[in-house]
Amino acid sequence: MIAFVFPGQGSQYVGMGKDLSETAKDLFEIASDVLGFDLAKLCFDGPDSDLNKTENTQPAILTVSYALLREVLASGISPVFVAGHSLGEYTAAVCGGVFSFEDAVKITRKRGELMQKAQPEGKGAMAAVLGLDAITLKQICESITDFYVDLANLNCPGQIVISGEAEAVKKASELAKQKGAKKVVPLQVSIPSHCMLMREVAQEFEKYLQNFNFKNSKFPIVSNVDAEAVQDAEAILNALIKQLYSPVRWQDCVKYMISKAVDTFIEIGPGKVLSGLIKRIDPSVKVYNIENLNDLTSIKKEELK
């Protein structure tokens, strides 16, 4: 059985989606109208500095991912489950028909704007901790009482991201090394995603989402928040709100799908981050990556069931 998975922020790069300039011209035009600038030009030509602005990055990744998804579905490949890493959950929702592509562009733009303004520049931070288990890292975070830090992304065995106030992330990183972490990599972000510092903007985001009509999903969406499959419109809405300030339980999401007999994962969108994580979670499953039309041509030659 097949699951489609969609990447989140950090997978963007200048040149992404360039070979879709004709097949997805309509989608880039819709997104450009919503955003008020030429999104195709930004994705294809940059500059990096503009593409990497959160409020631009989110709708850009969504658009490229959805453009590729549309080609995949048209080729006759369809999923049993869909899931996305953080922002990628919005592409999963469009795949399920929860809201339209145009609405998804509006929603991800707003999400990016709210996340960007959640904390003053330099106050928040994130870091990837390699080679330490979740229980030990959680204890480290809880031991820091003068500032706030917590687990943000449980990506795969031996890779957990922490998020919070910059001072706390720094302290936790040092303690993690003392406790045996192989490596701690500060992430090049100023937004402390997926932790309680996002709670306030989540309330504002919830009000914004009331403007849209959510529908039940055609495919079960495996939610980041609890690693359970949801199809009900209200449950999806609640999960997307809670996702802003809750850890991304990606490892558990993948394990859940495998427990439901998924043996083939297709990552659709820029980059190969999720493909790498899935291989580390369970090396026995098949993993494919589609970030351009050539990748799709190669996959169509495979016997996918």
Side-chain angles (χ1 to χ4, degrees):
M1 292 206 297
I2 296 171
F4 288 174
V5 295
F6 304 98
Q9 199 164 336
S11 59
Q12 74 275 6
Y13 58 87
V14 171
M16 66 179 186
K18 206 161 192 173
D19 66 334
L20 299 161
S21 59
E22 290 305 316
T23 55
K25 193 175 181 182
D26 60 323
L27 298 179
F28 281 108
E29 285 175 356
I30 289 167
S32 297
D33 286 345
V34 169
L35 300 169
F37 62 84
D38 187 342
L39 183 65
K41 189 174 189 307
L42 180 62
C43 289
F44 305 163
D45 305 321
D48 268 324
S49 55
D50 288 344
L51 182 60
N52 291 336
K53 288 177 181 171
T54 298
E55 64 269 29
N56 295 339
T57 306
Q58 297 202 17
I61 292 173
L62 172 100
T63 301
V64 173
S65 298
Y66 180 64
L68 287 163
L69 168 67
R70 195 169 68 168
E71 296 297 321
V72 174
L73 291 171
S75 76
I77 304 169
S78 64
V80 176
F81 289 95
V82 293
H85 191 287
S86 188
L87 167 71
E89 203 159 88
Y90 290 82
T91 316
V94 181
C95 182
V98 177
F99 36 68
S100 68
F101 167 68
E102 184 175 351
D103 283 351
V105 174
K106 293 174 184 174
I107 290 167
T108 53
R109 172 69 164 187
K110 185 67 172 182
R111 182 178 184 266
E113 288 172 348
L114 289 172
M115 288 173 72
Q116 189 67 58
K117 75 172 192 177
Q119 293 290 314
E121 191 73 30
K123 188 182 177 186
M126 299 179 78
V129 181
L130 309 180
L132 208 60
D133 65 276
I135 293 170
T136 303
L137 194 51
K138 182 73 175 175
Q139 288 170 346
I140 288 170
C141 291
E142 288 174 347
S143 74
I144 297 166
T145 53
D146 48 347
F147 293 99
Y148 170 78
V149 62
D150 206 347
L151 309 188
N153 298 354
L154 292 95
N155 285 330
C156 69
Q159 190 191 115
I160 300 170
V161 175
I162 55 174
S163 179
E165 293 174 287
E167 279 296 319
V169 171
K170 188 179 176 184
K171 284 186 179 182
S173 297
E174 289 165 2
L175 288 171
K177 288 175 192 171
Q178 290 170 23
K179 290 282 186 180
K182 291 176 184 173
K183 197 175 183 182
V184 179
V185 184
L187 302 186
Q188 298 304 307
V189 294
S190 60
I191 301 164
S193 301
H194 303 296
C195 73
M196 294 305 288
L197 296 180
M198 288 286 156
R199 189 67 190 261
E200 201 173 309
V201 299
Q203 293 170 348
E204 199 175 332
F205 189 50
E206 182 176 6
K207 288 176 191 169
Y208 180 74
L209 290 179
Q210 303 304 326
N211 298 316
F212 299 92
N213 178 29
F214 278 56
K215 297 174 184 171
N216 293 342
S217 179
K218 291 180 285 187
F219 306 109
I221 300 172
V222 182
S223 163
N224 287 181
V225 170
D226 57 12
E228 295 283 341
V230 289
Q231 283 186 267
D232 175 72
E234 190 174 351
I236 294 165
L237 169 64
N238 290 336
L240 290 176
I241 295 161
K242 200 175 176 187
Q243 188 217 66
L244 268 180
Y245 58 86
S246 303
V248 173
R249 294 174 56 190
W250 185 250
Q251 182 175 331
D252 289 340
C253 289
V254 173
K255 283 186 169 181
Y256 173 87
M257 289 183 273
I258 293 169
S259 77
K260 299 297 181 183
V262 169
D263 56 8
T264 303
F265 290 85
I266 303 178
E267 180 180 7
I268 302 171
K272 296 181 175 66
V273 172
L274 300 186
S275 298
L277 296 179
I278 293 166
K279 285 173 186 171
R280 288 183 64 183
I281 293 164
D282 189 336
S284 71
V285 297
K286 290 182 181 176
V287 184
Y288 300 95
N289 168 264
I290 298 176
E291 62 174 324
N292 54 52
L293 294 175
N294 282 342
D295 291 337
L296 177 56
T297 304
S298 301
I299 285 176
K300 281 195 289 191
K301 294 172 186 172
E302 300 272 350
E303 288 290 322
L304 293 179
K305 293 176 184 176

